[in-house]
Amino acid sequence: MAAGDGDVKLGTLGSGSESGSDGSSESPGGAGAAAEGGGWAAAALALLTGGGEMLLNVVLVTLVLLGAYRLWVRWGRRGLGAGAGAGEESPAASLPRMKKRDFSLEQLRQYDGSLNPRILLAVNGKVFDVTKGSKFYGPAGPYGIFAGRDASRGLATFCLDKDALRDEYDDLSDLNAVQMESVREWEMQFKEKYDYVGRLLKPGEEPSEYTDEEDTKDHNKQD
């Protein structure tokens, strides 16, 4: 292929006009248009290349920001919640640890969180101080119905209605094996999370006398 032929084709692509045999374009600005067209092509290629890098950077920044937001949602709000309550003592923090003692049903009802800030409930004959879980067991909590009461039947039958509560001592003798196993599992969970403060007394049963040494020993086991 002759050099002139190459110039003709290049001129044709660049300007859209034909060139003569001597390499000159019929259009006065043909050569300039070709150069201009080549410049635009180079600029477009550079823009595409730069745009790809910019798009990648935008995607990376977006992913980083999304990750940071998720971390804030998971942990930051907890910190904010703790900070918001820092100036206000929770009921559990403002109360001394309860000494070990036994309770009748009537005595247990005094600790429902309404008049007394301390909240107790019983599970399978054991009484637990759940004051630090007041957002769950307080008067406005989802399980507030169990505050100051024997929660065994309600927990065993997954019932949050008053039908699950008994005004008299509940020996749970009508529960089946699966329900009783559920009661024992709930008892273990409460032992792990809350302070065990004593027994729920049966009718006519006398409360036990606990020494300071026994009380301290039980609290140390829970800690």
Side-chain angles (χ1 to χ4, degrees), residues 59-176:
V59 171
L60 291 175
V61 171
T62 301
L63 290 175
V64 171
L65 292 176
L66 181 59
Y69 174 74
R70 287 181 175 177
L71 287 175
W72 179 82
V73 169
R74 185 172 181 180
W75 302 108
R77 289 184 179 178
R78 295 185 183 183
L80 289 175
E88 301 177 4
E89 284 191 329
S90 66
S94 62
L95 292 174
R97 205 166 207 171
M98 194 171 197
K99 288 189 175 182
K100 192 173 180 181
R101 52 165 290 195
D102 297 335
F103 299 83
S104 65
L105 280 175
E106 290 73 19
Q107 292 170 332
L108 182 62
R109 287 174 190 163
Q110 299 173 14
Y111 298 92
D112 62 357
S114 56
L115 299 178
N116 191 327
R118 194 183 297 275
I119 304 172
L120 306 180
L121 62 77
V123 180
N124 201 26
K126 310 292 192 304
V127 178
F128 299 94
D129 186 344
V130 297
T131 308
K132 65 181 181 181
S134 58
K135 64 179 179 180
F136 299 108
Y137 302 103
Y143 308 111
I145 191 173
F146 296 143
R149 305 298 293 264
D150 182 0
S152 304
R153 182 174 294 274
L155 294 173
T157 59
F158 303 100
C159 179
L160 298 178
D161 297 330
K162 291 184 178 180
D163 296 340
L165 303 177
R166 297 289 186 270
D167 292 330
E168 297 80 24
Y169 183 83
D170 190 357
D171 61 8
L172 308 175
S173 58
D174 61 323
L175 297 184
N176 59 41

